[in-house]
Amino acid sequence: MNPQLTTRLRHLRLSGMAEALPLRIEQARAAPLEHLDFLDLLVQDELTRRADRLFARRLKQAAIPQVKELSTFDWAFNPKIPRARLVDLATARFVRDHHGALLIGPPGIGKSHAAVAIAIGAIRAGYHAFVRSAFDLAQDFLRQTRPASDARSCSDSRTWISSSLRISA
């Protein structure tokens, strides 16, 4: 393979293409590909890499400690949990429609799991999300209400929300 091509691709910030190129060349040799099909695969590799990196960056910004999906939620634990509503919330349609959501209930029923799954769904839908536990929110408020000389500053104003999940465009 031509090392200059790899360098040029990286210079153009096409690292997804640069990484996929050796595999795609072998694939094209094994089963003849049209030039446009070969190029299409490389472009798709670049787009996939960018989408994956964006998703990872937004997960990090959301302060999600552990990825949790509704597919791993234990629905049998409490059959009264409104499954259809939670699945609908995870599509983030409520954000687009300018509605809110509040998850309330006793400890241990899966509110945190559901909030993280909803945030991940919102990230996949192209929104930014920020997840905080009620305990951490209370600690942030406590730190903010102390006198300036006594308090540690909070560097992120996004923590000043009234719920433990914030999603924005």
Side-chain angles (χ1 to χ4, degrees):
M1 194 173 83
N2 184 348
Q4 289 178 337
L5 177 58
T6 303
T7 302
R8 289 177 183 149
L9 287 171
R10 292 191 190 284
H11 181 73
L12 291 170
R13 299 182 196 268
L14 298 171
S15 58
M17 282 187 183
E19 287 180 15
L21 189 58
L23 174 67
R24 294 303 183 190
I25 289 172
E26 288 302 316
Q27 184 180 10
R29 287 182 181 148
L33 287 174
E34 294 288 327
H35 297 297
L36 285 177
D37 293 336
F38 179 78
L39 181 60
D40 184 47
L41 288 172
L42 281 176
V43 170
Q44 186 58 48
D45 291 335
E46 180 65 31
L47 291 173
T48 300
R49 178 180 168 89
R50 288 180 184 206
D52 291 346
R53 291 180 73 190
L54 177 63
F55 181 73
R57 188 171 50 252
R58 286 194 175 165
L59 272 181
K60 185 177 179 180
Q61 290 170 345
I64 294 174
Q66 182 179 3
V67 174
K68 296 179 180 181
E69 303 272 357
L70 289 180
S71 62
T72 61
F73 192 83
D74 184 9
W75 299 102
F77 174 72
N78 185 351
K80 292 182 180 181
I81 294 176
R83 184 177 191 159
R85 282 188 182 167
L86 287 181
V87 170
D88 184 53
L89 288 172
T91 67
R93 190 175 67 215
F94 75 99
V95 179
R96 185 187 68 234
D97 295 343
H98 304 286
H99 292 114
L102 177 64
L103 305 176
I104 57 174
I109 63 167
K111 294 181 304 296
S112 295
H113 187 131
V116 169
I118 292 167
I120 289 171
I123 290 169
R124 284 199 175 109
Y127 296 102
H128 295 270
F130 188 66
V131 178
R132 292 288 277 168
S133 72
F135 176 78
D136 289 337
L137 266 174
Q139 291 296 321
D140 291 342
F141 281 124
L142 181 62
R143 265 188 249 121
Q144 194 66 16
T145 58
R146 290 183 188 156
S149 61
D150 187 37
R152 291 181 224 152
S153 67
C154 181
S155 62
D156 193 346
S157 63
R158 294 179 295 176
T159 59
W160 311 118
I161 56 178
S162 61
S163 65
S164 61
L165 172 63
R166 178 179 183 214
I167 301 172
S168 61

